[in-house]
Amino acid sequence: MTFVIDIAILVLLVGTLTYAWVVDRRVRSLMRVLREMEPMIGNFSEAVDRSESTVSVLRSLGQQAEPKARPQREREREPEMTRAEPSFRTTRERPARPTGATKASGKSELVRGFFETVRQREA
């Protein structure tokens, strides 16, 4: 009976080692791909920052130009519904920061911090 239990334990141990080896290969492959994608993600993050700033500048310019574009009489003729503020939000509410999270001031710092953390875990 003890022989059967020993064989079962050995089979489970070999299965566990095999599974650990497969997971290790997949994690190494993922890390290699992440290192290759790092410059692309950084460039994308910078492009998103530039587009957000451009949109905010365009929005402020549009809001400044709108009152000058139409005379007061035309705005008074509009139905009440079209002059009302939109009922949807243009910005999202910020979620509460999880306990132990550090604050990153920009997306590029967040991306850079992610890759630095990954490098530290590898070492």
Side-chain angles (χ1 to χ4, degrees):
M1 184 68 175
T2 59
F3 183 71
V4 173
I5 293 173
D6 288 343
I7 294 296
I9 290 173
L10 284 175
V11 167
L12 291 173
L13 184 61
V14 168
T16 302
L17 289 174
T18 304
Y19 180 72
W21 179 75
V22 168
V23 169
D24 180 61
R25 285 188 54 203
R26 288 183 181 178
V27 168
R28 287 178 190 268
S29 173
L30 175 65
M31 296 308 294
R32 187 183 72 250
V33 169
L34 284 176
R35 271 189 234 105
E36 292 171 2
M37 288 178 59
E38 183 177 4
M40 180 182 62
I41 291 172
N43 291 339
F44 179 73
S45 176
E46 290 171 9
V48 168
D49 289 338
R50 284 193 308 266
S51 66
E52 283 180 348
S53 65
T54 302
V55 166
S56 65
V57 167
L58 289 174
R59 182 177 291 137
S60 66
L61 289 174
Q63 289 173 351
Q64 290 173 358
E66 184 177 304
K68 298 174 186 175
R70 294 182 290 163
Q72 180 68 23
R73 281 183 274 152
E74 286 183 23
R75 281 182 270 154
E76 289 174 356
R77 290 184 202 156
E78 290 180 354
E80 193 65 31
M81 292 298 289
T82 58
R83 282 187 288 175
E85 291 293 319
S87 62
F88 58 90
R89 294 181 185 164
T90 57
T91 59
R92 290 184 279 167
E93 294 178 8
R94 291 188 180 267
R97 188 180 317 157
T99 307
T102 58
K103 182 178 180 182
S105 61
K107 287 185 185 84
S108 57
E109 288 182 25
L110 183 66
V111 171
R112 195 173 302 116
F114 169 76
F115 284 107
E116 288 173 2
T117 303
V118 168
R119 283 190 197 112
Q120 289 173 356
R121 287 184 183 170
E122 284 182 347

